[in-house]
Amino acid sequence: MLSDEVATALFEGRGVVALETTIVVHGLPAPINLEVANECAKAVRNAGSVPATIGVLGGKIVVGLRDDELEELASPRRHAAKLSARDLGVAIANEVDGATTVAGTIAVARAVNIDVMATGGLGGVHRGAQQTFDESADLTALSRTSIAVVASGVKSILDIGATLERLDSLGVPVVGYRTTRFPGFYRSDSGFGVDWSMESPRDVASAFRAHRLFSPTGMLIANPVQQSVQLDATLHDDALASALQKANDLGVTGKDVTPVVLAEFANYTGGKSVQVNRDLVVANASVASQIAFELAGSRS
Ligand code: PSU
Ligand code: MN
């Protein structure tokens, strides 16, 4: 189901940016989660495109959730599920509520012809994946979905080197936005470099347009968090160790790992990680909007 605003924007060929809901429902604590969602939508509008927040309410996919609908979805008593791409069909049939991950969001976005999505950090290969096989479906979804995803790299809780190798194998190009370093979510530099760097939304739009002529895969636009707001390196590393330990102690697996680790990060840093997460996702929404604007402009 498309909101009137999103339907009109798509019909008129305006830039539209898909926004996910897992970050709101399972990634950030209340009440900041809804504030961040609002700020992301505002950032998209300010940069010229139209936001399309995607989620599932009572088994109906909504593209362009209203504020009250998002609030409802995020309400703890609704127990919204975390929906990856593979879960969408079953969620619809079971008429449940669900927040979409990057994988779930881009599956829906592509189906309605949205070309750009923004998130905080893409999912990736987890540490110890050699044993657990825990690799986010975000990667495979991006390998089969023609969409540009703006993210501050992948979350630092992951095995970043392995994730970059997988993106390579899967044929997903990684473009650093005004950087030659691959961002590390809470930190601007993960310690890994990127092959490509671009300076403007227009350049990214033309790269993505050309990429689509040859490849069915999406593109990752890696936009680092500003150095002035990033998490202090020592605090980051200590929080990371604590978060990984916590996930291990609790014995969480599968889709519960990322939310537990993010929550422990917030706990350990006294909320500092939440503020960084907020800053980076809003900045990503703005960059995504500029790219969507350029893509739309070049179409007419
Ligand atoms: N970015 C954030 N916070 C989040 C996420 C992204 O800043 O919570 C979510 C996205 O929905 C992403 C998911 O798809 O984390 C990855 O979950 P998993 O590792 O279980 O695939
Ligand atoms: Mn996983």
Side-chain angles (χ1 to χ4, degrees):
M1 191 168 39
L2 295 174
S3 70
D4 287 349
E5 186 192 22
V6 172
T8 305
L10 288 168
F11 179 74
E12 290 177 349
R14 291 188 56 194
V16 177
V17 174
L19 298 170
E20 56 140 318
T21 37
T22 292
I23 182 172
V24 184
V25 178
H26 303 106
L28 290 166
I32 291 175
N33 57 347
L34 292 174
E35 291 169 24
V36 173
N38 257 311
E39 286 169 20
C40 286
K42 212 175 281 170
V44 171
R45 289 186 203 288
N46 286 343
S49 297
V50 171
T53 306
I54 294 176
V56 179
L57 273 180
K60 285 205 167 53
I61 293 183
V62 183
V63 180
L65 284 162
R66 294 189 313 262
D67 290 354
D68 61 307
E69 289 174 323
L70 188 58
E71 203 174 326
E72 198 53 44
L73 187 65
S75 147
R77 60 185 167 72
R78 300 279 296 230
H79 296 292
K82 176 175 166 183
L83 306 177
S84 187
R86 67 170 182 164
D87 303 310
L88 290 170
V90 180
I92 292 167
N94 281 335
E95 300 182 2
V96 299
D97 297 323
T100 49
T101 64
V102 172
T105 304
I106 62 178
V108 173
R110 195 57 252 145
V112 298
N113 246 333
I114 295 175
D115 292 328
V116 183
M117 185 216 167
T119 185
L122 186 70
V125 180
H126 283 257
R127 293 162 194 240
Q130 299 90 322
Q131 265 82 45
T132 63
F133 277 73
D134 189 353
E135 173 183 329
S136 177
D138 289 356
L139 298 185
T140 37
L142 201 50
S143 78
R144 58 164 184 260
T145 312
S146 183
I147 193 161
V149 174
V150 181
S152 298
V154 298
K155 297 186 202 73
S156 45
I157 58 176
L158 301 168
D159 183 334
I160 295 172
T163 303
L164 285 169
E165 292 296 348
R166 287 292 288 145
L167 287 165
D168 181 9
S169 311
L170 292 167
V172 176
V174 179
V175 172
Y177 188 72
R178 299 182 178 158
T179 182
T180 56
R181 308 298 301 165
F182 189 66
F185 195 56
Y186 296 127
R187 306 257 318 148
S188 63
D189 182 351
S190 67
F192 292 83
V194 286
D195 290 342
W196 301 101
S197 169
M198 290 192 145
E199 295 297 315
S200 75
R202 177 166 299 190
D203 287 350
V204 173
S206 62
F208 181 54
R209 215 178 312 114
H211 172 70
R212 296 182 120 174
L213 298 175
F214 306 101
S215 170
T217 73
M219 180 180 261
L220 176 58
I221 319 305
N223 182 36
V225 68
Q226 267 185 38
Q227 280 184 22
S228 59
V229 302
Q230 70 182 345
L231 217 52
D232 168 79
T234 309
L235 179 61
H236 174 272
D237 293 353
D238 292 349
L240 177 59
S242 170
L244 293 172
Q245 187 61 49
K246 178 94 179 190
N248 197 47
D249 292 349
L250 292 175
V252 287
T253 55
K255 60 167 81 170
D256 296 331
V257 174
T258 299
V260 164
V261 169
L262 292 178
E264 179 55 19
F265 241 100
N267 183 34
Y268 192 94
T269 63
K272 282 193 180 135
S273 68
V274 173
Q275 185 58 43
V276 179
N277 202 162
R278 174 187 202 144
D279 289 338
L280 65 85
V281 68
V282 173
N284 293 343
S286 177
V287 169
S289 176
Q290 295 167 54
I291 294 167
F293 185 86
E294 291 295 338
L295 273 171
S298 59
R299 203 183 287 137
S300 56

